[in-house]
Each structure stands twice: as structure tokens, then as C-alpha cells.
């Protein structure tokens, strides 16, 4: 069965410092991996995805994520955090075997302190 | 191009009442999804429609029914609302099954059942 784990409910970081939001996954085949961001009272917005190829993928708003197959991880990173990055972040996985279902993690609240 | 739209934005129901949540997308996407979001539980899939004319159960289908009215529209019906169905409901679409495409989300419907 597919699953996604986001081990941290909340991450606090000072503005200007690098940030990491962690995600690990479990799928039976090759994974398609996604990160989404949710601002208060809004729907989720797509940030970036890993399908195949380069393990480091770049996305919107300066975010990037590193796919690590041996550790089954897909951590979200940004070199320099902004206060406006404060939001709820979700990792999601889809099994490349043909199912059209996406499984979401429980979310990590990022708080960037001025 | 409005993306994914949902109506209504807010709704209060009494236990036992019924209602239909409407969702429409104008991106010509094949697949559509209904999720519910509850604190600490992330997004859980209720039903999805991989393509026009098909629907399948997700993780938490009990108490819900869906209709894929056409390629654009995917509705979610609560036949007899229960307090446990108090949640925020999100509709999403993507261009699967032809590829590993990201999902696009609507703004959500906040439902309270008393």
C-alpha cells in the first residue's frame, strides 16, 4: 500500500535561514512525488514534482526538493526562507504502476520568524 | 480560465439533511477527485473519476455518492449528513491517465453539520 509520512507537524525557521521540510514515502513501484502549499482558507497549490531523471528538482517560489531512492525520501528545501513562505505544506505520492490515486501526507506547518 | 471552481463556499446542515457539492474545471482535464481535509489528518480521498464515465471509491467513501456529469463537472452528494462529515471539502483535477500530472485544486467548501 502507498503511504506518505511527514514526521514534523511544525517547522520553525528564522527569515534568511535555509529550510527543510521532510517527507518519506512507500510505494510498490516507481514513485511520482509532489509538493503542495496551502495558505489559510485556500486550496492547495502545486510547487514541484519528481517524475524521473535528475534527483534535484526545482519548483515555484525558489523551492527545490531532493529525491533519494535509497532513503525513500523527498525533502523540500529552500536556501533562504521568507516570512511569506509561512504556510501548510503537503507531500503527495502516486504509484507509477497505473493507479490514478494520490496519497497525501498529514502536512507540515512552516513558520518563518522575522 | 477559472481553473477549478466549487460551490458553495460555506454550508451549515442539520443532521439528516442532504446536499450536493458542485465542482467544475475548465482545463479539459480527464481526472477529477474529491477530498476532505480534517485537522491532523491531511487530505483523504473520498471518490475519484479517472475519466469521463468512470468513478471509483477512495479511502473514505462511506456516506457519500458522486456523479461525473460530463468531462467538466464532478459532484459530491451527502444523502444524510452526519456530524462526522463536518470538514473542508476540496475538488481537484489532473490530466491523468496519460501522464504523471500534478493536481489543481478548487478553493474548498467548508461544511458544518450540527
Amino acid at each position: 500500500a502507498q503511504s506518505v509520512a511527514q514526521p514534523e507537524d511544525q517547522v520553525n525557521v528564522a527569515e534568511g535561514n535555509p529550510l527543510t521540510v521532510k517527507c518519506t514515502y512507500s510505494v510498490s513501484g516507481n514513485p511520482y512525488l509532489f509538493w503542495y502549499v496551502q495558505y489559510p482558507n485556500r486550496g492547495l497549490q502545486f510547487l514541484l514534482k519528481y517524475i524521473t531523471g535528475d534527483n534535484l528538482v526545482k519548483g515555484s517560489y525558489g523551492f527545490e526538493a531532493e529525491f533519494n531512492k535509497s532513503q525513500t525520501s523527498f525533502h523540500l528545501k529552500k536556501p533562504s526562507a521568507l516570512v511569506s513562505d509561512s504556510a501548510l505544506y503537503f507531500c503527495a505520492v502516486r504509484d507509477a504502476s497505473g493507479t490514478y490515486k494520490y496519497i497525501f501526507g498529514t502536512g507540515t506547518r512552516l513558520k518563518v520568524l522575522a | 480560465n477559472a481553473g477549478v471552481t466549487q460551490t458553495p463556499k460555506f454550508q451549515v446542515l442539520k443532521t439528516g439533511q442532504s446536499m450536493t457539492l458542485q465542482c467544475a474545471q475548465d482545463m479539459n482535464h480527464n481526472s477529477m477527485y474529491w477530498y476532505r481535509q480534517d485537522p491532523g489528518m491531511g487530505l483523504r480521498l473520498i471518490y475519484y473519476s479517472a475519466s469521463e464515465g468512470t468513478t471509483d471509491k477512495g479511502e473514505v467513501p462511506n456516506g457519500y455518492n458522486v456523479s461525473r456529469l460530463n468531462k467538466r463537472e464532478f459532484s459530491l452528494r451527502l444523502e444524510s449528513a452526519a456530524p462526522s462529515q463536518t470538514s473542508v471539502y476540496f475538488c481537484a483535477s489532473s490530466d491523468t491517465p496519460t501522464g504523471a500530472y500534478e493536481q489543481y485544486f478548487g478553493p474548498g467548501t467548508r461544511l458544518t453539520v450540527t
Side-chain angles (χ1 to χ4, degrees):
Chain A
Q2 301 176 90
S3 66
V4 175
Q6 293 182 243
E8 301 153 319
D9 290 335
Q10 181 159 321
V11 170
N12 296 326
V13 63
E15 188 174 31
N17 281 3
L19 69 87
T20 299
V21 182
K22 295 179 181 176
C23 172
T24 58
Y25 67 90
S26 174
V27 297
S28 55
N30 292 323
Y32 295 150
L33 294 155
F34 304 83
W35 276 102
Y36 293 85
V37 60
Q38 185 181 32
Y39 297 102
N41 301 313
R42 303 284 295 276
L44 278 69
Q45 296 176 36
F46 168 73
L47 275 180
L48 50 80
K49 65 183 176 185
Y50 172 83
I51 305 303
T52 187
D54 196 349
N55 289 343
L56 184 66
V57 293
K58 295 186 183 297
S60 306
Y61 311 121
F63 284 94
E64 57 190 28
E66 186 168 13
F67 170 63
N68 187 318
K69 188 171 183 177
S70 63
Q71 296 187 3
T72 61
S73 67
F74 189 56
H75 301 330
L76 181 69
K77 300 182 179 185
K78 188 174 183 182
S80 178
L82 300 171
V83 172
S84 57
D85 292 330
S86 298
L88 187 58
Y89 290 80
F90 289 97
C91 182
V93 65
R94 181 186 152 202
D95 190 330
S97 66
T99 176
Y100 309 125
K101 294 193 287 188
Y102 298 75
I103 302 298
F104 284 79
T106 52
T108 298
R109 188 164 299 281
L110 174 67
K111 193 168 183 179
V112 181
L113 307 167
Chain B
N1 190 335
V4 180
T5 56
Q6 292 183 237
T7 55
K9 286 187 167 51
F10 301 94
Q11 184 71 48
V12 179
L13 292 178
K14 294 188 189 316
T15 297
Q17 288 185 318
S18 62
M19 78 163 294
T20 299
L21 282 65
Q22 307 286 355
C23 173
Q25 53 91 9
D26 61 3
M27 295 172 282
N28 202 35
H29 284 168
N30 288 303
S31 301
M32 298 185 73
Y33 306 78
W34 276 105
Y35 294 91
R36 58 178 288 172
Q37 182 179 22
D38 302 292
M41 303 194 74
L43 271 71
R44 292 183 292 169
L45 182 64
I46 305 172
Y47 271 94
Y48 68 104
S49 171
S51 58
E52 188 179 355
T54 68
T55 60
D56 285 285
K57 295 179 180 179
E59 184 184 354
V60 288
N62 291 346
Y64 305 95
N65 283 301
V66 291
S67 295
R68 183 75 183 264
L69 304 169
N70 47 55
K71 192 171 186 179
R72 290 186 64 248
E73 298 172 288
F74 189 40
S75 63
L76 178 71
R77 183 159 178 84
L78 286 70
E79 290 292 351
S80 178
S84 61
Q85 294 177 306
T86 293
S87 188
V88 181
Y89 291 85
F90 288 101
C91 178
S93 70
S94 70
D95 210 14
T96 55
T98 57
Y101 292 100
E102 61 271 21
Q103 294 181 304
Y104 292 82
F105 285 80
T109 294
R110 189 173 296 273
L111 174 66
T112 302
V113 183
T114 61

